[in-house]
Amino acid sequence: MKRTVLFLFFILASHGSAQYSSKPLENPFSQTEKWDLLGRDGMENVNAYEAEYFNKALAHTRKDFDFTEKKIGFITGNNAKVKTNKKEYFDLERIRISKGQTGNGGTVVTFTEEEKAVNGGYDAAILYWCKVIPQKKDLIETLSK
């Protein structure tokens, strides 16, 4: 009985109760090319190099969203309740890639103008290392804090 329940849990968890897909982030820049220009501050607006990085690395979840000149929130934690920033994101990214591990991965969630008015002006959020992908209203609440 326990094995059946665990198996069913695994099947449900792995087959997408999540509304967003996530995939390991591959480093679109070499370690030397522009790498030191990423995540050097905690500012919420991404610079041109960071926008280029995210546009390449997160192409699978961003669809037609362009990171250029956008305000981006970063959310992590098992339940996607921890608000971080791009400096923390790229610090972890550098460590993982320097060890030969996959990057942080991430899921891009974009916001409408109405949602931006409530969430603190964020155009999108990058969710990484989250076991649970929350509903959009919960993301908006996390960003607005």
Side-chain angles (χ1 to χ4, degrees):
M1 179 69 166
K2 274 187 177 178
R3 292 179 94 177
T4 303
V5 170
L6 286 173
F7 178 73
L8 287 174
F9 175 76
F10 174 75
I11 295 296
L12 290 172
S14 64
H15 286 291
S17 58
Q19 62 192 53
Y20 311 105
S21 66
S22 185
K23 184 177 175 184
L25 180 64
E26 297 172 12
N27 182 3
F29 296 155
S30 71
Q31 289 293 327
T32 56
E33 177 194 6
K34 305 176 191 172
W35 191 242
D36 290 333
L37 302 172
L38 305 175
R40 289 302 174 195
D41 59 50
M43 304 276 300
E44 295 161 328
N45 292 345
V46 295
N47 67 38
Y49 302 108
E50 294 159 345
E52 180 184 357
Y53 185 89
F54 287 130
N55 282 335
K56 289 178 182 177
L58 299 175
H60 63 282
T61 65
R62 73 176 178 87
K63 298 179 181 141
D64 62 350
F65 180 80
D66 184 352
F67 282 90
T68 305
E69 298 181 15
K70 297 295 193 294
K71 182 177 178 180
I72 306 299
F74 293 84
I75 298 176
T76 191
N78 289 342
N79 294 320
K81 297 280 186 192
V82 179
K83 182 178 171 183
T84 66
N85 60 47
K86 68 181 180 181
K87 181 175 180 352
E88 291 180 37
Y89 181 93
F90 280 112
D91 286 349
L92 180 59
E93 186 77 349
R94 282 183 189 83
I95 291 168
R96 292 188 58 77
I97 290 174
S98 72
K99 291 180 179 180
Q101 299 171 338
T102 60
N104 289 326
T107 299
V108 179
V109 179
T110 59
F111 300 106
T112 65
E113 291 300 319
E114 294 80 22
E115 292 166 334
K116 284 174 55 175
V118 178
N119 74 11
Y122 292 96
D123 295 289
I126 296 176
L127 282 63
Y128 64 103
W129 295 111
C130 302
K131 288 183 179 179
V132 175
I133 305 297
Q135 294 183 2
K136 219 174 186 184
K137 67 180 179 70
D138 296 328
L139 293 175
I140 292 168
E141 182 180 324
T142 299
L143 288 172
S144 67
K145 293 178 183 176

